[in-house]
Structures are given as C-alpha cells and as structure tokens.
C-alpha cells in the first residue's frame, strides 16, 4: 500500500500540518503504486446446464479506499535543524490524528505539479501508525481508511430564490464520476411565507409538495432520509401535509444536466459533493 505525494502539507479535522511544523514525506522509494480503491465484485447468478449466461444484478465495491500518509518535520520551516521527533511530539501528533473515532475531513495542500489540477477531499479515520528510525523516530506513517471507495469534490452550494408570482428555474450540472448513480443532497428550505412549496427535478420527472410555515426552516437530508429543523429535531412528513408515502420524493440529481423548478415563496439551498474516482492521487 502506498501513496503519491500530492502536496507538501495536509489538513485533517480542521488543523493543518503546517501549523504543527510537519510536512508530507516518506523515507522509502517504493511508492510505485497509487491506490485507486475501485476493485469491484460482480453481483450475478449461477450458470446452469441450461443457462450459460449468468443473470447480472450489478456490481459492489469491495472496500473503502485505504492509503498511507508519511509525515516528517517541516524542512522548509526556518530554524528546523533536528528532524528527530521527541516523545512529547509523537504524543501530540498521535493525539491529533488518532483521537477521532469517526471519519474526518482530510485533504492535501500546497501542490507544486501542474497535473494536480483539482483539490480532492477525503473523509478518513486513522487505522494504523508506524514509526521509522533506528534509535529515534525520524518519520511517522499513518494508514488512512476512507468512508467510501472515492474522494470528493469541494462542497458545492446552489441558492435558489422563488417567489409567489412565478416559479424559479435553475440548471444544476452533476459532474460526479459515478455516471449511473444519483447524488442525494442536503436541502435547506426557508419559507418566506406560509403556503405550499413544490420541489421538482424536471430531468428526473419527480416532484414533492409540502405545506410550510413562514420562517420555519426545514432541512432535508436526502442521503440519510431525514427531515429536521434548526434545533435538529426530526420533522414528520405528516406535519408537512404529506399523507401518502407515494408522494415522498427524496430530491436527487441525475448525472449531467438537471433542470430544477421551485414553486412557492421561499429560499432553497442545495448542498452536496460530487464523487471523484482518482484514488489517493
């Protein structure tokens, strides 16, 4: 397992390695493989004496993306002449990187090669640590296990305003690398007046209408299938005037261009990330 050095520094869980006096670096030169995390298993039936072509039901990714991150002291920082890590420094670094029990945002910074033309975010948990050195620690290597087989784009945000006089139409381009799947965003619906609000993806040929109260902000997490208010209290569909489960539409974006129509007096915020199939690169 290895990883290309795509940047000089990195950020994890809101803190930068640069501020910690650390930079990305490895002590060996065996990094001839860049993990992509795209190994898949075909879901299919069996072949029989009478069926020589198995029925196919899709594919499943075998595991999340896993890669290694090597760190050393920042040799570009003024006044750094001793690259050895003291025990107290190892404690501080490990406390920062290994304390989170759930995936946290990770990305590399300070790229210096022209082919790194896009920032990629990952959500990772540290699952192993090794130290390099003879009698003293000269470098640390961390195994990062991502929450999916993919990296992600930076967070994308669209704001759509609609009023009571006319619907609002917007075009959203979904450039995710999963071309045969949907993106399920988080919607923040801010009703500017009491009344009906209709959310429609014309491209997907689906819509949903809710009854909203003025200034009662509604959050719709379409990936996790939850509705909640600003206090994180769950909201029922019944309270929004939806009685039939067939009328529930978890808003989604198709691959490519999506024509979105919002009807009602409201502001709608659509927030999501696109999938990036670049592995640890």
């Amino acid at each position: 397992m290895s990883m290309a050095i795509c940047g000089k520094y990195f950020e994890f869980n809101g803190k930068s390695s640069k501020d910690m006096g650390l930079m990305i670096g490895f002590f060996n030169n065996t990094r001839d493989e860049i993990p992509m995390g795209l190994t898949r298993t075909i879901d299919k039936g069996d072949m029989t004496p009478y069926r020589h072509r198995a029925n196919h039901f899709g594919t499943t990714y075998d595991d999340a993306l896993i890669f290694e991150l090597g760190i050393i002291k920042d040799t570009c920082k003024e006044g750094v002449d001793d690259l050895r890590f003291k025990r107290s420094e190892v404690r501080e670094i490990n406390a920062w990187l290994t304390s989170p029990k759930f995936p946290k945002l990770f990305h590399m910074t300070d790229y210096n090669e022209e082919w790194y033309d896009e920032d990629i975010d990952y959500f990772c948990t540290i699952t192993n640590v090794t130290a390099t050195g003879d009698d003293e620690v000269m470098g640390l290597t961390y195994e990062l296990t991502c929450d999916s087989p993919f990296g992600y784009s930076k967070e994308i945000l669209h704001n759509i305003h609609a009023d009571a006089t006319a619907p609002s139409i917007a075009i959203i381009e979904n450039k995710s690398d999963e071309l045969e799947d949907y993106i399920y965003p988080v919607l923040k619906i801010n009703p500017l007046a009491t009344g009906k609000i209709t959310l429609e993806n014309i491209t997907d040929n689906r819509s949903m209408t809710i009854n909203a109260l003025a200034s009662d902000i509604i959050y719709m997490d379409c990936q996790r299938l939850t509705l909640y208010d600003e206090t994180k209290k769950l909201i029922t569909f019944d309270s929004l005037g939806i009685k039939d489960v067939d009328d529930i539409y978890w808003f989604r974006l198709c691959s490519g261009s999506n024509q979105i129509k919002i009807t009602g007096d409201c502001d709608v915020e659509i927030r999501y990330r696109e999938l990036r199939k670049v592995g640890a690169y």
Side-chain angles (χ1 to χ4, degrees):
M1 185 189 306
S2 57
M3 176 182 177
I5 298 177
C6 301
K8 186 181 294 184
Y9 304 106
F10 68 93
E11 294 178 2
F12 178 75
N13 197 21
K15 185 180 292 187
S16 171
S17 65
K18 191 171 186 177
D19 296 336
M20 298 281 288
L22 305 169
M23 64 186 300
I24 298 174
F26 291 86
F27 274 86
N28 60 65
N29 295 314
T30 61
R31 289 172 287 104
D32 56 353
E33 230 178 73
I34 299 173
M36 283 287 158
L38 299 178
T39 304
R40 300 190 293 175
T41 297
I42 298 173
D43 300 324
K44 63 180 181 179
D46 296 328
M47 288 187 285
T48 72
Y50 309 103
R51 185 176 63 235
H52 306 299
R53 186 180 186 186
N55 294 324
H56 282 240
F57 307 106
T59 58
T60 302
Y61 288 98
D62 288 357
D63 204 347
L65 175 64
I66 302 174
F67 59 87
E68 287 184 344
L69 172 73
I71 62 173
I72 58 176
K73 286 195 174 180
D74 188 355
T75 57
C76 301
K77 190 173 182 179
E78 187 175 347
V80 175
D81 52 6
D82 187 351
L83 299 182
R84 297 172 297 181
F85 286 99
K86 297 177 182 178
R87 183 175 289 175
S88 58
E89 292 172 328
V90 173
R91 284 184 54 210
E92 183 181 13
I93 298 165
N94 283 339
W96 163 38
L97 297 178
T98 68
S99 290
K101 296 176 175 59
F102 298 96
K104 299 296 182 182
L105 179 62
F106 167 88
H107 64 260
M108 290 163 283
T109 62
D110 292 75
Y111 298 90
N112 55 13
E113 301 290 350
E114 62 182 12
W115 53 83
Y116 298 124
D117 57 353
E118 181 180 8
D119 287 337
I120 304 295
D121 283 343
Y122 304 88
F123 287 89
C124 306
T125 306
I126 307 298
T127 49
N128 192 30
V129 188
T130 57
T132 302
D134 293 326
D135 296 328
E136 292 139 336
V137 175
M138 302 296 294
L140 295 163
T141 301
Y142 293 86
E143 181 182 87
L144 277 66
T145 300
C146 299
D147 69 341
S148 82
F150 318 109
Y152 302 90
S153 70
K154 296 296 182 184
E155 195 169 59
I156 299 170
L157 179 64
H158 297 279
N159 288 295
I160 303 173
H161 172 74
D163 58 45
T165 59
S168 181
I169 302 291
I171 301 297
I172 295 180
E173 296 290 339
N174 171 11
K175 299 178 181 179
S176 172
D177 294 346
E178 266 302 77
L179 302 181
E180 297 185 3
D181 208 346
Y182 301 97
I183 285 178
Y184 291 87
V186 174
L187 274 60
K188 178 183 177 181
I189 306 165
N190 183 15
L192 303 178
T194 297
K196 294 184 180 296
I197 295 173
T198 299
L199 310 170
E200 180 179 5
N201 186 339
I202 297 172
T203 305
D204 197 25
N205 196 28
R206 297 289 303 277
S207 67
M208 182 172 70
T209 299
I210 61 174
N211 296 326
L213 299 176
S215 301
D216 276 4
I217 294 176
I218 302 164
Y219 290 87
M220 187 176 185
D221 188 332
C222 302
Q223 182 68 50
R224 295 181 174 86
L225 307 181
T226 55
L227 291 167
Y228 55 92
D229 61 19
E230 288 199 290
T231 67
K232 302 295 184 179
K233 181 181 178 181
L234 293 178
I235 299 173
T236 65
F237 278 104
D238 187 67
S239 66
L240 298 177
I242 299 176
K243 309 295 184 182
D244 191 338
V245 294
D246 291 335
D247 293 332
I248 298 172
Y249 170 53
W250 294 104
F251 189 88
R252 63 189 187 182
L253 299 174
C254 307
S255 179
S257 182
N258 292 259
Q259 188 175 10
I260 308 303
K261 181 180 179 181
I262 308 294
T263 304
D265 202 352
C266 63
D267 288 322
V268 176
E269 176 184 284
I270 302 173
R271 188 185 299 270
Y272 60 94
R273 293 176 184 267
E274 295 171 344
L275 301 180
R276 294 289 181 260
K277 293 184 177 182
V278 295
Y281 176 68

